[in-house]
Amino acid sequence: MNDISKYAIATLGSHTALQILKGAQDEGLKSIVICSQKSRRVYESYGVADEIIEISDYQDYFRIEERLIEQQAVVIPHGSFVSYVGADRITAEMKAMYFGSKGILRWESNREIEREWLKKAGVNVPKVFRDSSEIDRPVIIKFHGAGGGFGYFIAHTPEEFHEKIKEFPNQDDYVIQEYVVGVPMYVHYFYSPLSGELEIMSFDKRYESNADSIGRIAARDQLDADLHTSYTITGNIPVVVRESLLPMFFHIGEQVIEASKSLEGVPKGLYGPFCLEGIIDPQLNFRVFEISARIVAGTNPYTHGSPYSWLRYNIPMSTGRRIAREIRQGIEEGRLEDLLG
Ligand code: AMP
């Protein structure tokens, strides 16, 4: 069996770093965090990092990459890593070991091709309107790259759309999507390429400002205050789903994995943690509006495991720890290469 002490796990100090680092330690791997001086305190305070590498700007990642290579560190990408370092540079320039398929980043970062993938997987996606003249039901207008859903708006008719879009004169990169009325649900999966098995780790819903507080005031007051709904993420709330929905969630996850195997530029398909983000309507249809092909912040409430991971593992198994366990197994069995993108 190969010796795991010669390896490490590294990530950027943000997003889901706490559970990734703690998970590495719990699985007996050295944990390394790359962080700014400002966030250093967090990783010191929680004692989850065996080594802290400080950089002044997250885009300086490449200046310290050599130190990671020397320590045989496997880098775990998360949302902040992808947004700070950039999908293009990760694919073209990154030399350190990287957990996951790099090619999948292109598919998840573009709404159009991501939709192609989901449709190919047979996932129920909200209708997209090519032209505003076709609007015949409530729609949500999403600007590309809108930070945390800020500035999205809802319209019901082409006229209302034209009126509201005037407030965004410099924005022409947006999608007009059917607005699905129901409850948001984020499903956290883990697909193991070593065992070929898909697991459901947990679920969450987001705590969004101001969408999650508008209902606290009367409709009349909402109109008086001329409120605009925004979906800025401030945190995540754990959810346990109706047990009878689980077969459906397993099925959809498996379809997404299957479809990923034939995506162009992704020879190993999607593996590791990923998340389907959608709305469950009153008929219990799960309408998926987004996929994240990496660990999501919605797994953060489960540093100590979720009700689901408890059933399977009987020890506190966060998604971060699940990643470390896969890497450990890969090292021990001489199959680490199967996990690297
Ligand atoms: P997104 O930026 O795509 O993650 O969306 C931000 C938020 O907008 C989500 O968390 C949902 O609350 C809401 N949302 C996005 N798409 C839809 C949709 N098609 N129907 C209803 N709500 C949506």
Side-chain angles (χ1 to χ4, degrees):
M1 215 158 30
N2 293 324
D3 182 5
I4 61 164
S5 68
K6 295 197 179 73
Y7 292 84
I9 279 183
T11 198
L12 275 200
S14 182
H15 196 266
T16 36
L18 286 170
Q19 56 158 313
I20 292 172
L21 299 166
K22 165 104 172 91
Q25 288 182 332
D26 288 345
E27 290 297 314
L29 283 147
K30 179 178 178 184
S31 65
I32 304 173
V33 69
I34 304 128
C35 69
S36 63
Q37 196 220 341
K38 205 171 71 188
S39 38
R40 181 181 189 106
R41 189 186 185 300
V42 175
Y43 302 98
E44 276 173 352
S45 172
Y46 293 111
V48 290
D50 298 320
E51 182 178 335
I52 298 180
I53 301 177
E54 220 179 272
I55 51 179
S56 48
D57 186 326
Y58 283 130
Q59 283 165 11
D60 290 346
Y61 162 80
F62 288 99
R63 292 225 309 252
I64 58 90
E65 192 180 38
E66 200 49 44
R67 283 172 71 180
L68 302 179
I69 295 169
E70 279 160 17
Q71 302 200 62
Q72 299 216 81
V74 180
V75 176
I76 315 298
H78 51 50
S80 303
F81 185 79
V82 176
S83 84
Y84 291 136
V85 180
D88 292 347
R89 293 193 79 189
I90 290 174
T91 315
E93 296 172 42
M94 210 175 142
K95 299 219 167 50
M97 289 188 279
Y98 174 95
F99 180 74
S101 278
K102 288 180 182 169
I104 209 80
L105 298 175
R106 187 178 78 87
W107 287 89
E108 66 138 37
S109 62
N110 177 308
R111 281 203 184 102
E112 294 240 339
I113 62 169
E114 168 186 282
R115 193 175 159 82
E116 245 177 73
W117 168 17
L118 292 172
K119 281 170 96 168
K120 198 161 128 180
V123 173
N124 188 340
V125 293
K127 184 174 160 66
V128 163
F129 294 83
R130 297 273 156 218
D131 193 90
S132 57
S133 62
E134 295 166 9
I135 298 174
D136 61 357
R137 66 192 84 180
V139 292
I140 180 165
I141 288 77
K142 300 178 173 187
F143 295 104
H144 185 68
F150 193 78
Y152 288 3
F153 68 86
I154 293 171
H156 301 78
T157 60
E159 295 71 34
E160 190 180 355
F161 170 84
H162 290 300
E163 201 46 45
K164 289 185 169 170
I165 198 79
K166 282 185 193 154
E167 287 178 39
F168 305 91
N170 302 320
Q171 292 271 16
D172 53 9
D173 191 6
Y174 54 78
V175 62
I176 305 175
Q177 197 177 79
E178 170 189 3
Y179 185 84
V180 183
V181 182
V183 291
M185 190 66 76
Y186 292 68
V187 195
H188 316 143
Y189 295 97
F190 187 91
Y191 176 67
S192 162
L194 298 182
S195 70
E197 197 184 338
L198 178 76
E199 300 166 33
I200 291 180
M201 301 300 296
S202 44
F203 299 85
D204 81 296
K205 65 174 193 164
R206 289 178 174 178
Y207 195 40
E208 294 165 335
S209 185
N210 56 15
D212 285 315
S213 67
I214 286 177
R216 296 179 61 187
I217 55 173
R220 197 187 320 115
D221 297 330
Q222 293 174 26
L223 292 174
D224 285 348
D226 192 24
L227 289 177
H228 290 260
T229 314
S230 54
Y231 300 89
T232 309
I233 302 156
T234 65
N236 302 84
I237 304 171
V239 175
V240 170
V241 298
R242 265 174 85 156
E243 198 158 312
S244 58
L245 290 173
L246 286 175
M248 182 264 291
F249 286 124
F250 272 108
H251 180 64
I252 296 179
E254 274 153 6
Q255 285 175 300
V256 168
I257 290 293
E258 205 39 52
S260 77
K261 291 180 179 157
S262 53
L263 296 180
E264 192 208 311
V266 197
K268 294 180 186 167
L270 170 65
Y271 60 87
F274 69 102
C275 176
L276 290 181
E277 314 179 357
I279 308 276
I280 302 189
D281 71 17
Q283 287 73 42
L284 297 179
N285 300 305
F286 184 44
R287 315 283 310 277
V288 178
F289 56 76
E290 179 113 43
I291 178 166
S292 292
R294 42 159 181 87
I295 187 169
V296 290
T299 59
N300 279 338
Y302 306 112
T303 311
H304 201 67
S306 79
Y308 301 96
S309 69
W310 176 250
L311 292 167
R312 192 181 159 100
Y313 291 98
N314 250 344
I315 54 163
M317 184 59 72
S318 66
T319 294
R321 183 169 182 180
R322 182 65 190 82
I323 294 170
R325 182 164 280 208
E326 190 79 0
I327 291 171
R328 193 185 79 182
Q329 190 187 340
I331 296 168
E332 287 176 345
E333 295 177 0
R335 298 176 65 192
L336 183 57
E337 195 51 45
D338 294 354
L339 306 177
L340 304 178

